[in-house]
Each structure stands twice: as C-alpha cells, then as structure tokens.
Amino acid sequence: MQYIVHENPVGRAESNYIAQADLAPFDLDGQIEQLWLLPEEDGTYAVACIPFMTYGLALGDRVRLSPASRVVDVAQTSGHRVLRTLLRPSTDAERLGRSISLIKNSIKESGLLSEWHGERFVAIDVPPGADMSPLFALLQREVDEAGAFWEWADAMPFSATRS
C-alpha cells in the first residue's frame, strides 16, 4: 500500500484528525491519501488540506467517515475547487526551478493557498470568485513550452467505491 501524505496542510491545527481516502475508485489501486480534517459539532469533518489525488473533494468540504476512519461521502461542499498541476521532469534544472518559482509567486500574488507534493506537483485551492486569469496564463505557457499538465480535481465526483 502506498500512502500519499500532506506534510504541510494549509489547515493544520492543534486538533486535526487524519483519515484516509481510498484512491482505487480513481484508478490508483493500492494507494491511499491521508487527509487532514477538522472535527465539526455535527459529527462531520471539514477537509483541512488540499487533496492531491482524491477527486471530488476540496478544502472546507464536510465529509463523513466510516468506523475505520475512511472518507465515505461528502456531506456538504464548500464551493472551493482544486486545480492540480504537474510539471514534467527536466534535464534543465534552471528552467524547472524558474517554473516552480514563477508558479509559487503567481499563487501567492493571487492570494491562493497551495500544497506541494514533491517539487513538481502542486494542488491549488480555488475559492469561489477567485480571479484565476494570471495563474491560467502562466500555466498555459508551462503547458505550451514545457509540457506541463493541469486539471480540475472535481472532474469526477467523490466516490468511496467503484461505479
């Protein structure tokens, strides 16, 4: 079993709860994402990280857990979206470093939150009404010039089981 972990979740707090999301429904058999959550008074948990691999979940969504601490469904969405970007490996370390720096700066200037998984993969929280045009322009340039890839993580709804 391979675990996808969040080393620096954006919603880290003293009372976080860590649960698991099975990634098999997203064709990532044998992988589990450990999600940071905040307990809510109604028995649900608010997602306190930006999911790297789990589709259909975003920062602030309220989820329900199984007795085994697995995410089983979404009780309430937050309206946030997740934009994921993967930079291609490069033999040009200077080019890759410049791309990473430009993306980090654009995220910061846009007032967005992000989490990095390694040096080439970033998950970006997109709250309702966020102006994404500067970041989209930069990402499109990375796609065109360096073969980067990006996707919306809500491309498919969350499902704890295969359809």
Side-chain angles (χ1 to χ4, degrees):
M1 190 66 57
Q2 179 182 0
Y3 289 89
I4 309 301
V5 299
H6 294 258
E7 294 184 18
N8 296 303
V10 296
R12 184 184 300 262
E14 287 185 31
S15 62
N16 283 115
Y17 188 85
I18 296 178
Q20 299 176 344
D22 185 357
L23 299 176
F26 313 113
D27 293 326
L28 297 170
D29 295 336
Q31 296 184 54
I32 300 287
E33 184 166 5
Q34 292 182 325
L35 298 171
W36 289 66
L37 308 172
L38 293 169
E40 298 290 333
E41 290 182 11
D42 64 358
T44 62
Y45 295 82
V47 177
C49 61
I50 305 170
F52 290 129
M53 304 293 177
T54 307
Y55 286 88
L57 289 182
L59 183 67
D61 286 355
R62 289 182 176 206
V63 297
R64 291 185 188 91
L65 303 180
S66 72
S69 294
R70 292 271 175 115
V71 176
V72 292
D73 71 352
V74 178
Q76 182 179 12
T77 61
S78 63
H80 289 233
R81 298 180 77 186
V82 177
L83 176 69
R84 297 179 181 146
T85 301
L86 177 64
L87 300 172
R88 292 185 61 102
S90 176
T91 55
D92 184 349
E94 187 176 316
R95 165 74 168 91
L96 181 60
R98 190 169 49 253
S99 294
I100 292 167
S101 179
L102 287 169
I103 291 170
K104 284 182 177 181
N105 286 337
S106 183
I107 291 167
K108 183 177 180 179
E109 288 173 5
S110 297
L112 302 173
L113 299 173
S114 66
E115 292 185 34
W116 287 79
H117 186 63
E119 69 172 9
R120 298 182 302 108
F121 183 77
V122 62
I124 305 163
D125 173 57
V126 182
D131 178 11
M132 297 297 295
S133 51
L135 183 58
F136 278 140
L138 174 61
L139 294 179
Q140 188 59 52
R141 191 177 80 224
E142 289 299 318
V143 168
D144 294 342
E145 294 178 7
F149 172 81
W150 70 267
E151 69 175 356
W152 288 108
D154 52 359
M156 63 178 78
F158 176 80
S159 172
T161 59
R162 276 189 210 267
S163 304

